[in-house]
Amino acid sequence: MAQMAEEQSEARRIGEVIRQARVLQRRSQKDVAAALGYHQSKVSRLESGRGTEDVRTLREVAQVLDIPPHRLGLAAASDTGPAPEPGAEDMHRRTFLAASVAALAAPSPPSSSSTTAHHDLIRVLLPGTSPVATGQALGIDELRDRLRAVRRMFYVCDYAELEQTLPGLIADLRQAAGGGSSGSAEASGLLATAYQTSVSLLLKRADQGNAWLAAGRAMAEAERSGDPVVLAASVRVHAHVLVRDKHTTQAVNMVRHTADQLTGSYDQRSPRYLAAVGLLLLRGATAASRNGDRDTTQDFLTEAKEVARYVAFDQPDAWANFSPTNVALHEVSAAVSFGDAGIALQTARPLMRRHIPVPERRAALWVETARAYSQQGRLADGYQALRIAESCAAQDVRRPAVRELVADMAARDRRRALPELHHFSRQLGVPA
């Protein structure tokens, strides 16, 4: 009882901090809600102390109202890795390109192999002749096999190897796509998929700026290929970047417009087509849930379930990351986004007993479960969920978004009742 009363008091304190910051800036609840991409009622609930367990929302509020994170019970930004440059998340794609070119022109300090690999990846995304191309004319079958291997690296969360492998593959695909041969359209499709993979990797690394660059490349090559499936996948990753930069309404509109042209006649479609449409719809569900739109989220999930009825596989290869299991995983994630921790855990429990062959998806289940436990203040259960996620995909747990979650959970354990959580936080390099 005493602990519950303490938590309620802390929630009210956080709500009052938010209200005071808004009033001091002479902003209305409607204005703040618009900046956050939420309905006004969301801000009202936060100021009354409801929903303050959702650390992701609190971080967004802290940014919009310029509140120091520690005043909302969050870990300082510097504890979770290098902070982005001022205004970086609001730059347009062209500015991102200029920033990348400028970075390449500057002298590079001594770097680790991982930093070098990241530098090579960004370099190969830039216009012009790639410095890492093999110079050999490779057959389309060989390029297709190499791309399949690269996609598999992403699904098993081998991000370090993926980052080292992508530059050479992209360079060779660019050479094949620009060769003017009869297979250049197919090569453009493969190149678009390689760029899509780059987007996903860069977002895992929290590098939104260069993810924009890769997303633009993916869209251009998808249009050049003329393949609607490749185009749908490129729209999906573009929407992902939009969501990360909090342009959720634009992401929803983009997904809806594209999906309207592709949905229907599922019994006549190939597995590859169904997977692309299904994943696109799930991206729409994520965007809508981050936008606080329950109805649209449910619409996307319902349509995705319909597509999943015709999908008979659940394997970790290039087109098989869509299945009924993945739909259920996105239901968990949506519930967490809405702050419905109880619903999220109820939806997650059957999945915990289900075989999920894709390590990246297994890890995602347990990370979202940890977020739900954290929302309920069940830090010990959240910590256990994170350790299970780590056993599924160790590199995935070390990405910035998860490290931020660990830091926030540790910061909330003010009495240090969970020394193992603080030890885990230090292991990840994010002491609270």
Side-chain angles (χ1 to χ4, degrees):
M1 290 294 291
Q3 182 179 357
M4 183 179 298
E6 183 178 341
E7 290 175 354
Q8 290 175 346
S9 175
E10 176 67 6
R12 287 193 295 270
R13 184 195 68 77
I14 291 173
E16 181 61 20
V17 169
I18 295 171
R19 188 193 69 81
Q20 288 180 0
R22 176 183 62 79
V23 171
L24 285 172
Q25 294 180 27
R26 299 182 179 179
R27 300 174 68 175
S28 66
Q29 288 185 347
K30 184 176 181 180
D31 173 53
V32 173
L36 291 167
Y38 296 133
H39 189 271
Q40 179 181 345
S41 59
K42 176 87 169 183
V43 176
S44 178
R45 289 196 300 272
L46 287 170
E47 290 186 358
S48 65
R50 291 174 291 172
T52 56
E53 304 87 357
D54 189 341
V55 295
R56 184 157 46 195
T57 299
L58 288 183
R59 283 204 174 275
E60 293 174 355
V61 170
Q63 183 176 3
V64 167
L65 291 176
D66 196 24
I67 301 172
H70 73 271
R71 295 201 63 204
L72 299 182
L74 303 172
S78 59
D79 290 337
T80 61
E85 295 179 7
E89 293 188 357
D90 295 323
M91 296 168 71
H92 293 93
R93 195 182 315 164
R94 187 174 300 173
T95 311
F96 288 136
L97 176 58
S100 297
V101 173
L104 288 169
S108 298
S111 59
S112 65
S113 59
S114 62
T115 303
T116 301
H118 188 78
H119 177 86
D120 288 343
L121 177 58
I122 304 312
R123 189 178 181 85
V124 83
L125 295 176
L126 298 172
T129 304
S130 172
V132 291
T134 63
Q136 301 175 356
L138 302 176
I140 197 72
D141 291 338
E142 181 180 349
L143 291 169
R144 192 185 301 111
D145 289 343
R146 286 173 60 190
L147 178 62
R148 189 176 295 116
V150 156
R151 294 293 293 164
R152 195 169 291 118
M153 289 176 197
F154 180 81
Y155 291 135
V156 301
C157 303
D158 191 353
Y159 302 139
E161 183 67 22
L162 175 60
E163 197 164 47
Q164 290 180 0
T165 306
L166 267 172
L169 175 60
I170 289 174
D172 288 338
L173 283 169
R174 283 175 60 177
Q175 182 174 304
S181 64
S182 58
S184 60
E186 183 176 359
S188 287
L190 298 177
L191 179 55
T193 304
Y195 284 137
Q196 294 159 17
T197 307
S198 300
V199 175
S200 299
L201 174 63
L202 289 165
L203 290 177
K204 290 282 188 181
R205 303 291 202 203
D207 186 354
Q208 274 92 291
N210 287 307
W212 272 116
L213 179 60
R217 285 288 208 163
M219 192 71 74
E221 292 300 329
E223 292 174 346
R224 192 172 292 119
S225 75
D227 187 335
V229 172
V230 176
L231 181 61
S234 292
V235 170
R236 173 176 58 83
V237 297
H238 200 139
H240 195 178
V241 183
L242 282 169
V243 170
R244 283 294 185 91
D245 274 353
K246 302 176 185 175
H247 302 304
T248 49
T249 300
Q250 295 93 321
V252 168
N253 291 340
M254 174 181 280
V255 171
R256 184 76 276 166
H257 173 76
T258 307
D260 284 346
Q261 301 174 57
L262 300 172
T263 50
S265 304
Y266 298 135
D267 58 333
Q268 304 171 27
R269 304 297 190 179
S270 69
R272 176 173 174 268
Y273 186 102
L274 294 172
V277 174
L279 290 171
L280 178 64
L281 291 166
L282 292 181
R283 181 56 56 201
T286 298
S289 65
R290 296 289 179 87
N291 201 31
D293 187 340
R294 291 180 181 270
D295 291 340
T296 302
T297 300
Q298 191 56 53
D299 288 345
F300 279 126
L301 288 172
T302 299
E303 189 67 23
K305 287 179 183 178
E306 178 64 18
V307 178
R309 289 179 54 209
Y310 300 90
V311 177
F313 48 62
D314 199 350
Q315 299 296 323
D317 62 33
W319 295 104
N321 202 16
F322 177 75
S323 65
T325 298
N326 206 1
V327 176
L329 283 169
H330 279 73
E331 289 183 304
V332 174
S333 180
V336 171
S337 290
F338 289 123
D340 299 332
I343 295 174
L345 293 171
Q346 183 179 359
T347 307
R349 286 189 185 100
L351 297 176
M352 296 174 185
R353 298 186 293 271
R354 188 179 301 178
H355 173 60
I356 303 176
V358 183
E360 191 269 342
R361 293 288 81 197
R362 288 203 303 272
L365 166 65
W366 288 102
V367 169
E368 290 302 315
T369 298
R371 292 190 193 281
Y373 280 135
S374 179
Q375 287 180 355
Q376 291 186 335
R378 297 166 62 181
L379 299 181
D381 291 330
Y383 164 73
Q384 291 299 329
L386 286 169
R387 295 313 295 257
I388 295 174
E390 184 186 37
S391 71
C392 298
Q395 289 190 43
D396 202 62
V397 172
R398 280 154 178 76
R399 60 192 171 91
V402 181
R403 294 169 68 234
E404 182 178 280
L405 171 63
V406 174
D408 286 330
M409 289 173 60
R412 292 170 60 195
D413 182 28
R414 294 178 178 82
R415 296 182 177 179
R416 293 190 171 268
L418 295 170
E420 61 273 26
L421 172 60
H422 295 272
H423 177 69
F424 186 47
S425 178
R426 289 192 295 272
Q427 279 186 322
L428 297 182
V430 286

